[in-house]
Amino acid sequence: MVPVNLKLSNFTSFSENPPELDFTKFKLAAISGLNGAGKSSLLDAITWCIWGNSRSGESSDVLIHMGADNMQVEFSFELDGHLYTVKRRRSKKGGGSTALEFWSGSPLHNLTEGTIKATQEKIIQTLHLTFETFTSSSYLRQGHADEFTTKGPTERKRILTEILRLDHYDLLEEKAKEKAKDAQTNLSLLDYQLLEIEAELSQKEDREKKLSVAEQEAKKVKADLQECEELIKKIQFKHQTIISAIKSFEEKKIQIEKIEKDLTDFKLLISLNEKAKGEFEDILKQKITIEENYQKLQKLQQEKSNLETKRSQLIKVKDELAAVQKILISREEKRQIAIKVIEIELKKLETENEQIQTQINHLNLNQQTCPTCGQMIGKDKNEQILLKNKDSINKNEVQILKLKEKLQKYQSVVLPEESKVNYLEKEVKILEEQTKHWTKIRDQILQLDNYQNLFIKLAQAETGVKTHQEAILDLKKIYDIKVKHLTSGQKELEQLLIFENKLKEVQKRLIAQETIRIELSQKALELERQFGEAKQLVSRTKQLEQLASQKHQQKSKLQKEKQIFEQLALAFGKKGIQAMIIETAIPEIEDEANKLLDNLTEGRMKVSLQTQRETKTKLESGEKGIVETLDINISDEMGKRPYELFSGGEEFRVNFAIRLAISKLLTQRAGAKLQFLVIDEGFGSQDAPGRARLIESIDAIKDDFEKILIVTHIEELKDEFPVRIEVSKNSTGSTFEMVGE
């Protein structure tokens, strides 16, 4: 990874729009400034942008510039000739949110995945570098210069494995183990299948014997069945011959039954013709009587026809009379009602006048007494009452006179329907007189009605007698012929009973043989099934023998494959190729680290890396065991001492030497391409000669890295570097300026 450009906004002490850091303008540079100015923040911006991690850990909100609610970092780098850009944003709004983008090329091509986690994994896969590996090898962070040396042996080995890109051997080991496991599963399945096959093959001899027995029995039953079927065919032929004969007899029987029916019909026809002939003869005997009565009937029917015309007129007149009488009655009822109303009104007025006259008489006799209430009244009052009563009587008399005139008018009026009724009643009497003999004539006609048919039959009788006589003679001839045919047929039908008995006997034999045939057929089918099963089992035995041979070959092949994959799993494991690569790399790291230490300490200090050591406890054999490790041993003119007993400056020199040795090793291998070296505040623990030697060492290895950044707050060191990134801080926040570019 080679840095190209860094843009940041509201990150830690840097405000919204600080300058961009262009890495293409230098190869080696120092980041200088006072403590707290924000020097390490530039490096935190890089690690936070790529991995979401920094000196503060994985907490992002504490990195947001004071007073701001969001921050953003955009970092571009080159890797294997390709340009990549990572953009990470963090906002505190709404509970907090993070956005991560990954781009490549120019123009930019989006490599961002659907989730932040997936995008982060893609960035790590592209770099082949985790945050821990980066900080343990190429980034000597402030306060973390001993990141690699202070970790345990197992963790050191893991970091070194990642740096050397040995993790893909772990994947190969897992795949080899899976393949070996699959092979073992298949072997177990094959063993089970072979056990089943061998168990079935043990029945081979028994199956072949069953096949032979089934074949012999099937042949015998087949021969018996064939013999039975031939016998059935003979019986069926005889059965069919008898049925045909019986059928012929039954047809003859039907003919005889028809002749018998015909004879019955002929008897009836002869009888009917004789009867008809007798009737015609009887009619001829009554010829004179029939003719006389027929003429009398004709005359009576003419008279009846004339009278029926008159009767029709009578009915019509009666209907008209009834309609007029109905109207007359209705009008008479209305007149009587009107007369009654007038009479009631007259009676009322007359009664009223009588009452008034009584009052007048009373007043004339008793002038001082009221005629209605009996109270005393004066003379004037008496006269008033008298005048009033007389006036009422006069008015009533006038009204009575009018009503009487009206009554007289109603009583004397003649209704027009009355004359119509009188006329129609006379017409009815005349017509009734004219038609009074109709009933008598009708009865006479009914008595003579039979002579109408007799006269018709009389006309037919003379020819009818002759015709029926001829018909009787013809029918009797045909009848005699049919009687002869009937007698002949009945004699032939006597043979039908014999054939019916023969049919019953043949049918019994046929049923018996069919039963035998069915039993033999079922037995043949069962034997054929048994033969087929036995044959199939024998055939299956041969197939199983071939299959067993194939399975043994597969087993041999799988055993070899399993052995190969188990060997590959061991080879790809931690104790295999990985251990060999590490064992090969360790001397290179030691040599490179000691070269640097030799320069930094004037040959006083040496480091050695131990990959194996004896166990503290003994094995069952009594000897001590060997365990895999990655111990760091340091020695100087005083001998070997623990890492913790060296001074801070000496510890830094060791850490620096090992870290640079690892980084240089990576540049010599086609691994993670760690071409970026960062030393953050490592010079403060060194005295002046130590610092000079560190600078000389850095200058000596600068051609092995594309970019080297040195972070320092020591003023006298600034002039030692050709390019300086001077960081300062004011009231608005931190900023920087590149000097010597």
Side-chain angles (χ1 to χ4, degrees):
M1 178 180 71
V2 181
V4 174
N5 190 270
L6 177 66
K7 297 178 186 178
L8 61 160
S9 174
N10 289 329
F11 188 83
T12 61
S13 59
F14 289 91
S15 59
E16 191 170 4
N17 293 307
E20 294 183 18
L21 180 54
D22 187 355
F23 289 87
T24 62
K25 295 182 178 181
F26 63 87
K27 183 178 181 68
L28 172 64
I31 301 176
S32 63
L34 299 175
N35 285 332
K39 301 184 296 299
S40 296
S41 293
L42 291 173
L43 302 174
D44 284 337
I46 294 172
T47 60
W48 181 78
C49 184
I50 296 175
W51 293 287
N53 214 327
S54 66
R55 289 176 298 165
S56 64
E58 294 183 356
S59 176
S60 297
D61 289 346
V62 297
L63 301 174
I64 298 175
H65 186 69
M66 188 176 294
D69 56 13
N70 65 81
M71 65 177 174
Q72 178 173 330
V73 178
E74 180 178 326
F75 178 61
S76 298
F77 60 90
E78 280 187 8
L79 182 66
D80 295 330
H82 297 283
L83 179 67
Y84 295 92
T85 300
V86 181
K87 299 178 183 180
R88 192 183 292 266
R89 293 184 297 277
R90 175 66 184 176
S91 174
K92 292 193 288 187
K93 290 181 180 179
S97 62
T98 302
L100 178 61
E101 299 176 19
F102 188 33
W103 302 80
S104 71
S106 181
L108 294 176
H109 174 64
N110 196 351
L111 301 177
T112 308
E113 297 290 340
T115 62
I116 292 175
K117 184 178 180 181
T119 304
Q120 184 66 69
E121 288 294 327
K122 193 163 190 176
I123 293 169
I124 292 171
Q125 289 172 9
T126 301
L127 287 170
H128 298 291
L129 197 64
T130 63
F131 174 74
E132 289 78 10
T133 302
F134 176 72
T135 55
S136 296
S137 59
S138 294
Y139 181 19
L140 280 71
R141 289 187 298 166
Q142 185 176 4
H144 292 269
D146 56 355
E147 188 77 54
F148 183 78
T149 51
T150 55
K151 290 188 182 293
T154 303
E155 190 64 16
R156 286 195 210 110
K157 210 163 190 178
R158 185 193 65 77
I159 292 169
L160 191 58
T161 299
E162 285 189 11
I163 292 170
L164 295 173
R165 294 184 66 188
L166 301 180
D167 52 339
H168 70 283
Y169 286 108
D170 291 333
L171 295 175
L172 291 173
E173 180 189 11
E174 285 301 316
K175 286 183 179 179
K177 285 180 178 179
E178 287 176 8
K179 291 286 185 182
K181 187 178 179 182
D182 291 343
Q184 182 56 51
T185 302
N186 291 331
L187 279 170
S188 299
L189 180 61
L190 275 174
D191 287 337
Y192 178 75
Q193 290 172 344
L194 283 168
L195 282 173
E196 287 186 330
I197 291 168
E198 288 169 2
E200 213 171 325
L201 285 174
S202 65
Q203 302 174 23
K204 178 181 177 181
E205 187 177 342
D206 183 53
R207 288 177 178 178
E208 289 175 346
K209 185 178 179 181
K210 284 182 179 179
L211 176 62
S212 178
V213 171
E215 187 176 11
Q216 293 299 321
E217 288 183 358
K219 284 180 180 179
K220 184 178 181 305
V221 170
K222 189 175 181 182
D224 293 343
L225 180 61
Q226 188 175 357
E227 184 180 346
C228 179
E229 286 175 344
E230 287 175 357
L231 181 58
I232 287 171
K233 284 180 182 179
K234 291 177 182 178
I235 296 171
Q236 284 176 338
F237 178 76
K238 190 173 182 180
H239 181 264
Q240 191 61 41
T241 304
I242 294 170
I243 286 175
S244 298
I246 290 172
K247 187 176 181 183
S248 177
F249 281 123
E250 286 176 346
E251 289 173 356
K252 193 72 175 176
K253 186 179 180 182
I254 292 169
Q255 291 174 1
I256 290 169
E257 288 173 353
K258 187 177 183 302
I259 290 170
E260 288 174 344
K261 184 178 180 300
D262 290 344
L263 288 173
T264 303
D265 294 340
F266 276 110
K267 278 182 181 180
L268 180 61
L269 286 171
I270 291 168
S271 175
L272 291 172
N273 276 280
E274 287 176 345
K275 184 179 179 183
K277 178 188 169 189
E279 289 176 355
F280 281 134
E281 287 173 345
D282 291 338
I283 289 169
L284 288 171
K285 290 175 183 178
Q286 303 174 39
K287 181 178 180 180
I288 296 170
T289 305
I290 291 170
E291 288 175 347
E292 289 175 353
N293 285 322
Y294 179 71
Q295 289 176 0
K296 191 184 291 186
L297 177 63
Q298 290 290 316
K299 185 178 178 182
L300 288 170
Q301 285 177 341
Q302 182 62 43
E303 289 179 9
K304 182 187 174 188
S305 176
N306 294 332
L307 289 174
E308 282 178 347
T309 302
K310 297 284 186 179
R311 279 176 61 79
S312 296
Q313 291 177 1
L314 177 61
I315 291 167
K316 186 177 179 182
V317 171
K318 281 184 176 181
D319 289 341
E320 187 178 355
L321 176 61
V324 173
Q325 285 176 336
K326 187 176 180 181
I327 294 169
L328 181 61
I329 290 167
S330 175
R331 289 194 174 187
E332 182 62 29
E333 286 176 353
K334 289 179 180 178
R335 186 176 69 165
Q336 291 300 324
I337 290 168
I339 290 169
K340 190 70 176 174
V341 170
I342 292 168
E343 287 177 346
I344 291 168
E345 187 66 27
L346 280 171
K347 185 68 176 174
K348 180 182 176 184
L349 290 172
E350 288 173 352
T351 303
E352 187 179 339
N353 280 350
E354 288 175 358
Q355 290 175 350
I356 293 170
Q357 188 60 48
T358 302
Q359 289 182 1
I360 290 170
N361 294 335
H362 178 79
L363 287 171
N364 289 330
L365 295 174
N366 301 296
Q367 297 181 352
Q368 296 182 354
T369 308
C370 177
T372 54
C373 62
Q375 293 181 357
M376 296 299 292
I377 58 172
K379 185 179 179 180
D380 294 335
K381 184 68 174 174
N382 185 291
E383 289 178 356
Q384 287 178 2
I385 294 169
L386 284 171
L387 288 172
K388 183 179 179 183
N389 286 339
K390 287 178 180 180
D391 185 52
S392 297
I393 288 172
N394 291 333
K395 288 180 179 178
N396 288 341
E397 286 294 337
V398 172
Q399 189 69 23
I400 287 168
L401 182 60
K402 289 180 180 179
L403 289 172
K404 283 181 177 181
E405 289 175 355
K406 190 174 182 181
L407 179 63
Q408 181 64 31
K409 187 177 178 181
Y410 271 108
Q411 288 174 343
S412 61
V413 68
V414 178
L415 297 174
E417 287 79 10
E418 288 181 1
S419 59
K420 182 74 172 174
V421 167
N422 293 332
Y423 170 75
L424 292 172
E425 285 176 347
K426 289 177 181 179
E427 284 290 318
V428 168
K429 286 180 180 179
I430 292 168
L431 290 169
E432 284 178 346
E433 180 63 25
Q434 291 175 348
T435 59
K436 64 182 181 179
H437 298 297
W438 180 85
T439 305
K440 183 180 178 181
I441 291 169
R442 183 198 63 187
D443 294 340
Q444 288 175 351
I445 288 171
L446 290 173
Q447 290 174 0
L448 297 172
D449 187 56
N450 187 42
Y451 286 97
Q452 180 80 30
N453 293 328
L454 289 174
F455 183 77
I456 295 168
K457 288 181 178 181
L458 181 62
Q460 300 171 350
E462 292 178 357
T463 57
V465 170
K466 184 179 178 181
T467 302
H468 284 295
Q469 182 61 41
E470 291 174 354
I472 290 167
L473 292 172
D474 292 337
L475 287 169
K476 284 182 176 180
K477 287 178 184 179
I478 297 169
Y479 182 83
D480 292 339
I481 293 168
K482 287 188 175 289
V483 168
K484 289 179 182 179
H485 289 165
L486 177 63
T487 305
S488 174
Q490 286 174 341
K491 286 181 180 180
E492 290 179 9
L493 280 178
E494 291 175 358
Q495 297 294 317
L496 177 61
L497 183 60
I498 296 169
F499 277 95
E500 285 178 346
N501 291 331
K502 285 182 179 180
L503 179 63
K504 289 178 182 178
E505 183 183 345
V506 169
Q507 284 176 337
K508 286 180 181 178
R509 288 181 62 197
L510 185 60
I511 291 168
Q513 288 301 317
E514 282 288 350
T515 304
I516 293 168
R517 187 183 67 81
I518 291 168
E519 290 174 355
L520 288 171
S521 296
Q522 290 175 346
K523 190 174 181 181
L525 286 172
E526 177 61 23
L527 287 170
E528 187 177 348
R529 184 188 66 78
Q530 292 176 6
F531 177 74
E533 287 180 356
K535 189 175 180 180
Q536 188 176 3
L537 288 171
V538 169
S539 177
R540 176 172 169 76
T541 302
K542 293 177 182 178
Q543 292 173 357
L544 286 173
E545 287 174 343
Q546 294 175 357
L547 183 62
S549 176
Q550 293 173 2
K551 295 290 183 183
H552 281 297
Q553 290 175 5
Q554 290 177 12
K555 183 177 180 181
S556 177
K557 184 180 177 182
L558 282 171
Q559 285 173 336
K560 289 177 182 178
E561 287 181 359
K562 180 191 173 189
Q563 188 176 3
I564 290 168
F565 285 125
E566 286 174 344
Q567 290 172 353
L568 284 173
L570 289 173
F572 292 138
K574 300 293 185 186
K575 297 179 181 180
I577 294 173
Q578 295 187 50
M580 291 172 63
I581 292 172
I582 291 173
E583 288 290 341
T584 304
I586 290 299
E588 295 181 37
I589 296 171
E590 282 183 354
D591 290 344
E592 190 61 36
N594 285 324
K595 284 180 185 178
L596 290 169
L597 275 176
D598 187 62
N599 186 34
L600 292 171
T601 63
E602 295 182 334
R604 287 190 314 103
M605 298 179 70
K606 269 196 171 186
V607 64
S608 65
L609 300 175
Q610 185 179 357
T611 59
Q612 291 182 341
R613 58 180 169 81
E614 290 184 343
T615 57
K616 293 181 180 179
T617 57
K618 293 182 179 180
L619 301 174
E620 292 180 359
S621 61
E623 298 179 354
K624 290 186 177 181
I626 302 296
V627 295
E628 295 293 326
T629 185
L630 187 57
D631 294 331
I632 301 174
N633 298 317
I634 305 168
S635 62
D636 59 6
E637 65 273 10
M638 301 291 291
K640 286 186 180 180
R641 283 184 293 160
Y643 173 82
E644 292 79 12
L645 295 179
F646 286 89
S647 66
E650 289 173 327
E651 287 179 353
F652 181 80
R653 292 188 191 108
V654 171
N655 294 331
F656 182 71
I658 292 173
R659 297 279 285 279
L660 285 182
I662 293 171
S663 297
K664 194 168 183 180
L665 174 66
L666 290 173
T667 61
Q668 294 169 358
R669 293 173 176 265
K673 296 288 184 182
L674 293 180
Q675 297 167 293
F676 181 36
L677 179 64
V678 179
I679 303 173
D680 186 3
E681 296 292 4
F683 298 94
S685 61
Q686 305 298 307
D687 53 19
R691 288 197 294 269
R693 282 191 288 271
L694 274 173
I695 291 170
E696 288 175 5
S697 298
I698 291 169
D699 189 61
I701 63 166
K702 68 181 179 180
D703 291 332
D704 295 331
F705 296 90
E706 290 294 329
K707 291 288 182 288
I708 299 177
L709 280 178
I710 309 298
V711 181
T712 182
H713 66 282
I714 301 172
E715 190 69 24
E716 55 267 26
L717 283 177
K718 291 194 299 182
D719 295 334
E720 298 292 335
F721 298 97
V723 177
R724 300 188 304 280
I725 301 167
E726 295 185 351
V727 182
S728 59
K729 191 175 184 182
N730 54 34
S731 59
T732 59
S734 299
T735 186
F736 61 85
E737 180 184 6
M738 194 175 293
V739 179
E741 55 184 301

